[in-house]
Amino acid sequence: MIPFPRRALLHALALLALAGCASTPTRPPSDTERDALAAAADGRFDSALRVARMYQAWNDPRALDWYARAAATTPRTHHSTSAEETLGTLYARGRLDSGEGPQKPADVVMKASPRKAFRWFQSAAYHGSPYAMHDLERWYEGRGDMTGALRWRLRSAVYLRELYKLKPLREATSGSAPHGQPIDPGPAPNPVIAGIQRRAARGDAEAQVDLGALHEAGIGVVQDKAEALRWYERAGRQGNVYGQYLAGLAVGRGGDGLAKDVDAAAAWFALAEAQGFYMAAESYWREAIAPPFWTFE
């Protein structure tokens, strides 16, 4: 038998590979698809989102790539963070449609990926999405990580001025409330809070933000807004975007013994905005520091 030449074998394999690539499209592009793709060449968020939603409606996994393109458009706005949050939701569910029942095998075009879901939720949160804060709280809570869940509940409550909702946690950490809350670190001395304090003292910027929020809410530590600001500022000086943003909120809102200083707040917000934190834009932060119509504090 004459051996098949190696070069001919490699050539044949290459042709087979090319044939496989050429057969990838399962249907010819429609006029709708061609028009949407042509429009998306402008690089605008709305154009990319249109393509993403088109493919999602067709249960086509190319939707994931187009949502990612929409999320990457600049400047950062609530629109781009909503695309990031959508990607997190899709990867968490493992499907493009919004149904709750089992999918038919022929309709399964992607797999759930908790790791990718977390990455997109985190990206949205660190670009300022308050909705992603709730997503991350649920993500950590679902995995039994009460430290992570507490982090995002605190940040959301500080931003939304909803510290009154944390009353069960304040009572739990003082040992005066029953257990069973969704995020209940337990009675003092509290290992979760003690761990945050240790990491913050060692210079962990994320833990410093957490400790600042604990002081602002009065959970497991003395309620002291000036002390909260000091921890936010320590994190902010390390480049932590939440340290910068929450420092801006604290000094911009003032109160509870802390003098209001809008100029100092503006400086912190500018640092956070430079990192793509859209809520640190002036149109957002001026509304965020404005006195509320009412308070439950």
Side-chain angles (χ1 to χ4, degrees):
M1 178 180 293
I2 300 175
F4 195 75
R6 177 179 176 82
R7 181 175 297 177
L9 175 60
L10 294 174
H11 181 67
L13 291 174
L15 289 176
L16 287 172
L18 288 173
C21 292
S23 62
T24 299
T26 58
R27 52 176 168 71
S30 65
D31 290 341
T32 299
E33 185 175 5
R34 278 192 292 266
D35 290 346
L37 290 171
D42 64 8
R44 295 175 61 248
F45 173 86
D46 290 344
S47 302
L49 183 65
R50 178 188 173 194
V51 178
R53 288 177 172 171
M54 175 187 71
Y55 282 132
Q56 184 179 5
W58 295 347
N59 195 36
D60 188 320
R62 283 177 287 184
L64 300 169
D65 177 60
W66 281 96
Y67 274 118
R69 295 188 193 197
T73 57
T74 54
R76 290 279 173 191
T77 68
H78 69 282
H79 294 299
S80 50
T81 61
S82 71
E84 293 176 317
E85 192 190 8
T86 296
L87 279 165
T89 300
L90 294 177
Y91 278 115
R93 299 183 73 247
R95 57 195 296 175
L96 293 173
D97 64 18
S98 57
E100 297 299 332
Q103 285 184 301
K104 297 177 181 179
D107 294 334
V108 177
V109 297
M110 63 179 292
K111 294 181 179 178
S113 174
R115 179 181 60 82
K116 291 181 179 179
F118 172 78
R119 187 187 74 186
W120 284 111
F121 287 147
Q122 187 176 55
S123 183
Y126 279 89
H127 287 135
S129 170
Y131 303 104
M133 297 180 201
H134 292 299
D135 292 325
L136 287 170
E137 180 188 338
R138 290 191 296 268
W139 194 92
Y140 279 109
E141 192 176 47
R143 284 153 184 79
D145 186 336
M146 295 300 101
T147 302
L150 177 63
R151 165 174 293 170
W152 292 104
R153 175 183 273 198
L154 285 168
R155 294 180 186 188
S156 175
V158 170
Y159 162 65
L160 294 172
R161 282 191 167 109
E162 293 182 343
L163 297 180
Y164 66 95
K165 290 186 176 181
L166 300 179
K167 182 179 178 181
L169 288 180
R170 283 196 291 269
E171 294 174 342
T173 55
S174 68
S176 59
H179 295 288
Q181 298 298 328
I183 305 174
D184 184 357
N190 187 282
V192 171
I193 293 173
I196 292 171
Q197 291 173 314
R198 285 194 300 272
R199 292 191 299 276
R202 290 198 297 264
D204 183 320
E206 291 289 342
Q208 289 172 346
V209 176
D210 296 340
L211 185 53
L214 288 171
H215 276 290
E216 189 160 357
I219 295 175
V221 293
V222 175
Q223 190 166 17
D224 185 336
K225 197 165 185 179
E227 183 67 8
L229 175 60
R230 281 192 285 273
W231 284 107
Y232 294 151
E233 289 178 332
R234 287 181 67 175
R237 284 192 288 270
Q238 293 193 64
N240 184 281
V241 73
Y242 269 94
Q244 293 164 353
Y245 182 71
L246 295 185
L249 286 185
V251 74
R253 290 171 174 172
D256 298 325
L258 183 65
K260 181 171 182 172
D261 187 336
V262 176
D263 290 336
W268 282 115
F269 288 130
L271 292 173
E273 187 181 14
Q275 296 198 62
F277 200 88
Y278 85 85
M279 289 196 304
E282 186 171 358
S283 59
Y284 286 98
W285 68 253
R286 286 206 177 270
E287 182 178 351
I289 69 171
F293 290 109
W294 61 82
T295 178
F296 293 92
E297 294 295 339

